[in-house]
Amino acid sequence: MRLKSMIWNGLLVAALCLAVFLLYRIFQQYSLDQIVQSVRSIPLSSFCTALLFAAASYLCLGCFDLLAIRSLGKSLPYPKIALASFISLSLGHNIGFAGLSSGAFRYRFYSRWGLTTEDVAKIILFCGVTVGLGLITLGGLALIVNPGDAGRLLRLDPANVRIFGLLALIVPVVYAGLAFFVRATLRLWRWSFQLPRFSIAVAQIGIGTLNFMLVSACLHQMLSAFGDVAFFRSVTAYVLANSAILATHVPGGLGVLEATVSYAVPKEASIGALIAFRCAYFFIPLALGTTLLVITEIVFRRSRGADEEADEGAEAQSV
């Protein structure tokens, strides 16, 4: 086994161990009856509204890919892009190391539709940048609007938290400014980057921020079933949780999301709210994405078989 494979496998095992430990810490304080009762106490209307927010978030994620493909000067129908994006991300969010895992699924789809390996790599990078811009922008807003919860978690004074929020908002402004003024390829040490057009850069910031607002709204619906929680408290909780997930690469953020949200909003973050959110944003999309993946694989194989038969028939007629 190569050293690189050993490192990746070691990181995955460490992430799984962390997930098991955190889930044990969270669930040990509840009995099965308490967990079931907590989930049942969420109104059906709240759960359905949360599902709508989750669906809207996945549509936003499809727009990440659409913008990426447009920035490459390529063209694909949005239904195809949405299909590839949803399957890739619904599985990637649960597998862990989302950039790599979702990237593998993206390549499987986009390569069939005429995009090269380099194109797919650029799409993955573009989407990663969009995720970062959205998280930083919404995080900056959350630190400014709701410095108390973030300050308690990070052990910082609210005034300092607001300063960090303002500094965070400088990042998307600088990115948009570079896209507006820098026309040539941007070089950083050994790497070179082709910045998107200004309009696409602004769209990245907007759609990236909107995506995380929709996920936070999904979480807010669950938390609101157990108390009067302000929307930006849910935003703060999710932004901090997602930052921790990106740092640890725990598959599906298992344990990390629950532990961070429980600490950020301890009164409203009941076990029922956390389980319901995970079902709405992770497990239900995973089931749908897996089903769609199986269906598309069957369709692709049948289509390829039909094409091969047609080619063989054409060759036979020419002979």
Side-chain angles (χ1 to χ4, degrees):
M1 184 181 294
R2 294 181 301 175
L3 178 61
K4 186 176 180 180
S5 298
M6 292 176 64
I7 292 173
W8 280 114
N9 290 336
L11 289 173
L12 180 59
V13 171
L16 289 172
C17 290
L18 176 60
V20 171
F21 172 72
L22 290 173
L23 288 174
Y24 170 75
R25 288 287 301 274
I26 293 166
F27 280 91
Q28 69 173 345
Q29 53 189 318
Y30 300 99
S31 66
L32 180 59
D33 289 339
Q34 288 175 314
I35 294 173
V36 172
Q37 189 61 36
S38 183
V39 173
R40 284 181 175 176
S41 63
I42 297 175
L44 180 61
S45 59
S46 295
F47 188 79
C48 290
T49 304
L51 282 176
L52 289 176
F53 283 127
S57 168
Y58 277 97
L59 286 175
C60 277
L61 292 171
C63 291
F64 288 14
D65 287 48
L66 178 63
L67 288 173
I69 291 171
R70 291 277 178 85
S71 71
L72 292 174
K74 308 288 184 177
S75 179
L76 278 178
Y78 179 73
K80 284 187 174 183
I81 296 172
L83 176 68
S85 172
F86 177 74
I87 292 175
S88 301
L89 292 168
S90 62
L91 273 65
H93 283 162
N94 288 275
I95 294 172
F97 297 95
L100 294 175
S101 54
S102 64
F105 291 112
R106 277 189 174 106
Y107 177 75
R108 190 162 184 82
F109 283 92
Y110 289 140
S111 62
R112 288 164 168 163
W113 295 330
L115 298 185
T116 65
T117 303
E118 182 181 353
D119 290 335
V120 177
K122 289 180 178 179
I123 291 171
I124 295 169
L125 177 61
F126 183 97
C127 292
V129 171
T130 308
V131 168
L133 289 169
L135 188 63
I136 290 170
T137 303
L138 187 58
L141 293 173
L143 294 179
I144 293 171
V145 175
N146 180 35
D149 291 325
R152 187 178 68 256
L153 185 61
L154 301 174
R155 297 182 180 180
L156 292 172
D157 183 82
N160 291 328
V161 171
R162 283 197 171 96
I163 291 173
F164 280 114
L166 290 171
L167 292 174
L169 292 180
I170 292 174
V171 174
V173 173
V174 169
Y175 180 79
L178 288 173
F180 184 79
F181 290 106
V182 179
R183 305 300 183 191
T185 301
L186 184 66
R187 298 190 179 277
L188 185 65
W189 292 296
R190 293 180 300 170
W191 297 280
S192 60
F193 306 91
Q194 183 66 52
L195 289 169
R197 298 192 307 273
F198 176 71
S199 59
I200 290 181
V202 172
Q204 276 183 277
I205 297 168
I207 202 73
T209 305
L210 177 61
N211 169 61
F212 283 110
M213 289 187 71
L214 289 168
V215 186
S216 300
C218 177
L219 176 62
H220 180 254
Q221 285 296 311
M222 305 307 185
L223 298 177
S224 296
F226 298 92
D228 186 15
V229 55
F231 175 68
F232 261 94
R233 289 199 73 194
S234 302
V235 170
T236 303
Y238 183 72
V239 167
L240 293 173
N242 200 67
S243 300
I245 291 169
L246 291 174
T248 58
H249 289 293
V250 171
L254 279 171
V256 177
L257 185 149
E258 288 81 358
T260 308
V261 174
S262 296
Y263 192 87
V265 283
K267 293 182 180 180
E268 296 83 3
S270 75
I271 192 64
L274 297 173
I275 290 175
F277 172 73
R278 183 166 289 282
C279 287
Y281 197 76
F282 289 91
F283 294 156
I284 292 176
L286 174 63
L288 290 174
T290 303
T291 303
L292 287 172
L293 177 63
V294 172
I295 293 172
T296 54
E297 286 298 316
I298 293 172
V299 171
F300 278 135
R301 289 185 180 183
R302 286 182 176 177
S303 177
R304 184 174 61 186
D307 291 341
E308 289 176 353
E309 289 180 3
D311 291 340
E312 289 176 358
E315 289 179 1
Q317 289 178 357
S318 63
V319 173

